[in-house]
Amino acid sequence: MPYSQILAIIVALSLIVGAQEALPPTMGRGLAIALWSFKLALWYFFCLFWARKTRLPERIVSDRVLWLANLILLLDLYVLNINGFLPRPSFLASPITYMEGVGLSIYFVYVLAGWGAVWKGSPEAVRLYRSLRHFVFGKAKMILPVFIPYFMAGIMGDVLKAIGVPHTEVLFTITFLVAMAVVLPPVTLRIWSCKPLPDTPERKMIEDFLLRMGQKVKEIMLWPAEGLEFCTASVLGILPRFRYILFTPCLLSYLTGPEILAVLSHEITHIKRRHMFWYLAFILAFMVVFYRLIDPAWTWLMTHEGVMRFFFEVQNDALFFGLFAVLPFVLVFILYFRFVMGFFMRNFEREADSSVFETGIHPSNLINALEKVAFLAGGTRNQPSWHHYSVAERVDFLTKALKDRDVLMAFKRRLRNMKGFFLLITAILAILPSFMPKNLWEAKARENLTSVAIDQVLGSGERRPDLYLALGELFLQRKDYEKAEWFTKRAVRLAPNSAQALNNLAWLYATSEDPRYLRPKEALILAKRAAGIDPAPYILDTLAEAYFRNGMVKEAAQLEEEILSQGPERASYYKGQLKRFRKALGRSKEDHRSTTKTKAKKDMDSVNTSQWPFLYFLSWNLD
């Protein structure tokens, strides 16, 4: 499958994941359906007009349909708020994969409609494919396999999360990798209708070459593809027991034996040089560096008061915040994929081309094969892509290397150095946040937030409980309990039924390190009110803390167990709370036994047993 299609699908999935939280619909259901249908019709006629007027090859137009469909999907998710209309089955404890599946289904409605328009408007597509059905389903079959590992891992993760299994992220990753290595290759062959290559002289020649090169594959497959432009070979699978060599009929029909072996030499070099593992390393490096840098980068951004004021002004704009949450990732990923991975992918292809100098195949055979493939694809000899050099550039390199082997050696040294440079830069960026003055940036950001928020609350004259609540949270984090209480109390007065405001005031009274604001009884009353309005895990945790502070340790532990049974986010925090409560419960029982023995012996009358709860809380605070 072309890498550009994979990237387009990743972008679509990122947009869908970023819009997981359903926002209130901006219009009625009937109007939304009418607008959606009108937009779909406009999209179809746009693609039809484009296919008729463009001079680009059909395959390029079809690929760009995948990209442009993302813009239409973005309107659905972030302007029409289509998530608000989608049903969420109550039997799904964590319908993340379900919602992603629904979102991708909407995306592919646009893609299929666009492809239908391309077939109708492109004479080339009509010439190469027998019917609209063959064109659309042929395109869809090519990209369908990419979803198999993701949804297998996603469904597994949802099920494990629903039954309370910890570390679902790790299990998701393991399932994804196993599905990639074991499940994906055979399922892909079935979807693509591949058959074992018959026992022909070509098959015997291929088997002998693989044996000579020491490469094991499970089977050599014939990869049927409609349209003469699809003339290629491929390696499918990472592990030898689940690895296949694929040839299209076009390739076997138009290439000579030595030319077929030259193409095969190119493909097995991807295996020998572990290019697939490098691609996984590139993606992993991106994820590590991005998530290591995003937090300090955001903190540094907030040190600028103008930026802070801007975000404070638009904080209630759901469209802006939804897009802001996902677009930085999408844009950085596209740039990284296009320029960093694209650079290495082009050079890995060149490295695979250069294998003919090591396998005893004359480079002219690969040159002839490339020229034929370009001709059969409709004259694409001078068309490069972001992950492939053009055929003209590849032929030029092979010709120069054939005349001067120093060209080949210089290329190999440069590629080796670039790999080392990439690993070095990745390591530096990954550890860089450890040396950033993040604490200073956080302090400055808090000062800016305080300044902006106080200006908003006191200067605007608005009676907005959310602003008072935000300031209360800020001062509570800074342990400025006087100001935290002042602002939080006013939030409660303005919104007496706000579970979050009641919860924050209860947490302040339950955990204050200043004795003047440590009021366990008030904390318990407020926490019960908050839990009655919204029994969210973090609110129930505050109630458990209030129980604990009032000496009701058993109730605190039971409530924390109930929270964990729901499979909440930040499960490690709630487990820590439960461990703390159970430890206290064990101490209380031990203290009770000790006190009973003391009374029986009547030799420690001076001990005031009523002080045990106080002594316990004191010891916990000292710990």
Side-chain angles (χ1 to χ4, degrees):
M1 183 172 64
Y3 291 108
S4 59
Q5 295 184 2
I6 297 176
L7 184 55
I9 292 169
I10 291 174
V11 170
L13 192 58
S14 299
L15 293 173
I16 293 165
V17 171
Q20 280 295 324
E21 292 298 326
L23 300 171
T26 55
M27 61 193 72
R29 186 184 300 272
L31 180 58
I33 292 174
L35 283 176
W36 187 85
S37 302
F38 179 68
K39 181 160 56 66
L40 180 62
L42 284 180
W43 163 250
Y44 175 84
F45 286 112
F46 166 78
C47 293
L48 180 62
F49 175 80
W50 182 32
R52 286 174 175 172
K53 296 298 182 181
T54 187
R55 295 182 179 180
L56 293 173
E58 167 275 320
R59 59 184 178 81
I60 295 179
V61 177
S62 298
D63 282 356
R64 292 184 181 178
V65 164
L66 282 161
W67 281 99
L68 292 174
N70 278 304
L71 298 177
I72 313 299
L73 180 68
L74 185 146
L75 294 176
D76 281 346
L77 296 175
Y78 295 93
V79 178
L80 295 180
N81 296 339
I82 200 170
N83 264 5
F85 297 111
L86 299 179
R88 293 171 180 254
S90 57
F91 61 86
L92 293 176
S94 178
I96 295 175
T97 306
Y98 163 79
M99 294 305 298
E100 291 171 0
V102 172
L104 284 171
S105 298
I106 296 171
Y107 170 70
F108 275 103
V109 168
Y110 294 122
V111 171
L112 295 176
W115 282 343
V118 170
W119 184 84
K120 188 172 183 180
S122 171
E124 180 188 9
V126 173
R127 176 174 57 84
L128 295 174
Y129 294 85
R130 288 176 288 168
S131 65
L132 171 64
R133 175 180 172 274
H134 283 88
F135 178 79
V136 172
F137 280 94
K139 297 288 183 182
K141 284 168 60 176
M142 282 297 298
I143 61 177
L144 181 60
V146 76
F147 300 106
I148 294 171
Y150 184 82
F151 279 104
M152 283 186 63
I155 293 170
M156 178 66 73
D158 283 353
V159 171
L160 295 176
K161 186 176 181 180
I163 63 179
V165 176
H167 308 300
T168 54
E169 296 83 1
V170 175
L171 294 173
F172 172 92
T173 303
I174 293 174
T175 305
F176 180 83
L177 293 176
V178 170
M180 280 279 293
V182 177
V183 179
L184 181 62
V187 173
T188 300
L189 294 177
R190 192 171 186 84
I191 293 173
W192 288 352
S193 303
C194 297
K195 304 292 183 182
L197 185 65
D199 190 10
T200 60
E202 287 84 1
R203 180 184 178 97
K204 181 65 168 59
M205 175 185 65
I206 293 169
E207 289 175 337
D208 291 344
F209 185 80
L210 290 173
L211 182 63
R212 181 159 59 89
M213 293 294 103
Q215 294 298 319
K216 296 180 179 179
V217 297
K218 186 170 183 178
E219 184 58 273
I220 303 167
M221 307 296 292
L222 190 63
W223 182 9
E226 195 166 3
L228 289 178
E229 87 288 357
F230 200 179
C231 191
T232 188
S234 180
V235 174
L236 179 64
I238 300 174
L239 303 178
R241 291 188 61 183
F242 301 93
R243 182 186 295 150
Y244 302 83
I245 296 288
L246 280 61
F247 293 93
T248 61
C250 168
L251 193 93
L252 297 178
S253 298
Y254 288 91
L255 270 61
T256 65
E259 292 168 354
I260 293 173
L261 293 185
V263 172
L264 181 59
S265 173
H266 172 103
E267 296 301 332
I268 65 174
T269 300
H270 288 307
I271 302 172
K272 294 172 63 176
R273 302 300 182 189
R274 297 179 175 85
H275 291 162
M276 182 58 68
F277 290 100
W278 272 100
Y279 296 151
L280 294 176
F282 291 140
I283 295 174
L284 179 62
F286 172 81
M287 300 300 292
V288 170
V289 171
F290 183 85
Y291 286 108
R292 284 281 290 163
L293 290 177
I294 188 64
D295 188 42
W298 170 255
T299 305
W300 174 80
L301 199 61
M302 292 300 101
T303 62
H304 298 78
E305 188 171 337
V307 176
M308 178 70 77
R309 289 186 181 277
F310 171 75
F311 279 102
F312 210 92
E313 290 289 341
V314 299
Q315 63 179 315
N316 293 317
D317 189 333
L319 170 61
F320 174 82
F321 269 93
L323 290 174
F324 185 81
V326 68
L327 285 186
F329 173 85
V330 170
L331 293 176
V332 173
F333 184 73
I334 290 174
L335 291 174
Y336 175 83
F337 212 102
R338 169 64 179 83
F339 293 104
V340 178
M341 281 194 67
F343 168 82
F344 281 101
M345 292 170 80
R346 290 193 300 273
N347 282 279
F348 285 165
E349 291 297 324
R350 177 159 289 179
E351 184 177 37
D353 284 347
S354 66
S355 65
V356 292
F357 292 98
E358 303 169 0
T359 55
I361 299 173
H362 197 277
S364 62
N365 291 304
L366 183 57
I367 291 173
N368 293 337
L370 291 171
E371 296 284 10
K372 287 182 179 179
V373 168
F375 174 78
L376 292 170
T380 60
R381 186 176 190 275
N382 295 304
Q383 290 181 3
S385 69
W386 61 272
H387 57 88
H388 268 83
Y389 289 113
S390 68
V391 167
E393 290 173 304
R394 294 168 70 180
V395 168
D396 182 61
F397 172 79
L398 290 170
T399 302
K400 289 179 179 178
L402 182 61
K403 294 178 180 178
D404 184 359
R405 293 300 174 91
D406 288 340
V407 172
L408 183 62
M409 299 307 296
F411 161 73
K412 291 184 176 181
R413 284 194 302 270
R414 184 169 63 253
L415 181 58
R416 184 170 57 250
N417 292 339
M418 291 305 297
K419 288 179 181 178
F421 182 70
F422 170 81
L423 295 175
L424 177 62
I425 293 298
T426 299
I428 291 173
L429 292 176
I431 65 174
L432 184 61
S434 301
F435 299 94
M436 291 179 175
K438 188 179 176 182
N439 292 336
L440 295 177
W441 293 346
E442 288 177 347
K444 178 62 176 176
R446 284 194 295 267
E447 291 177 7
N448 289 342
L449 179 58
T450 302
S451 175
V452 173
I454 291 177
D455 287 348
Q456 287 284 327
V457 175
L458 303 180
S460 65
E462 294 185 50
R463 296 169 59 83
R464 289 178 53 184
D466 58 323
L467 296 180
Y468 284 99
L469 188 61
L471 283 171
E473 290 178 350
L474 174 66
F475 286 115
L476 183 58
Q477 290 174 2
R478 298 171 67 175
K479 299 183 180 180
D480 189 339
Y481 298 107
E482 180 179 3
K483 293 179 181 177
E485 183 192 37
W486 193 90
F487 282 104
T488 309
K489 271 189 171 182
R490 273 148 186 77
V492 172
R493 289 174 186 171
L494 291 172
N497 292 321
S498 169
Q500 188 174 355
L502 293 167
N503 175 78
N504 286 13
L505 192 57
W507 184 261
L508 189 158
Y509 288 152
T511 63
S512 172
E513 297 176 10
D514 187 335
R516 294 177 299 169
Y517 300 96
L518 187 60
R519 304 168 191 171
K521 291 182 179 179
E522 292 184 46
L524 184 57
I525 294 171
L526 292 165
K528 285 183 176 179
R529 283 180 58 193
I533 297 170
D534 180 12
Y538 76 98
I539 293 178
L540 294 179
D541 177 65
T542 300
L543 179 56
E545 187 71 31
Y547 278 137
F548 178 75
R549 295 290 179 162
N550 282 277
M552 304 166 69
V553 185
K554 183 177 180 181
E555 289 82 353
Q558 289 175 344
L559 187 55
E560 211 67 46
E561 289 174 351
E562 180 184 333
I563 295 171
L564 283 167
S565 69
Q566 300 174 10
E569 300 291 338
R570 299 174 59 231
S572 59
Y573 164 77
Y574 297 115
K575 288 179 181 179
Q577 287 283 81
L578 179 59
K579 183 178 180 181
R580 190 174 130 235
F581 296 157
R582 284 176 173 172
K583 184 178 179 182
L585 191 61
R587 287 182 181 177
S588 297
K589 291 179 180 179
E590 183 179 344
D591 293 342
H592 177 71
R593 289 194 297 268
S594 176
T595 303
T596 303
K597 291 179 181 179
T598 299
K599 285 181 178 180
K601 293 180 180 180
K602 298 181 180 181
D603 59 352
M604 293 185 65
D605 293 336
S606 60
V607 175
N608 185 352
T609 57
S610 66
Q611 293 298 311
W612 276 110
F614 168 77
L615 293 174
Y616 165 70
F617 291 127
L618 179 61
S619 69
W620 180 82
N621 283 319
L622 290 175
D623 288 340

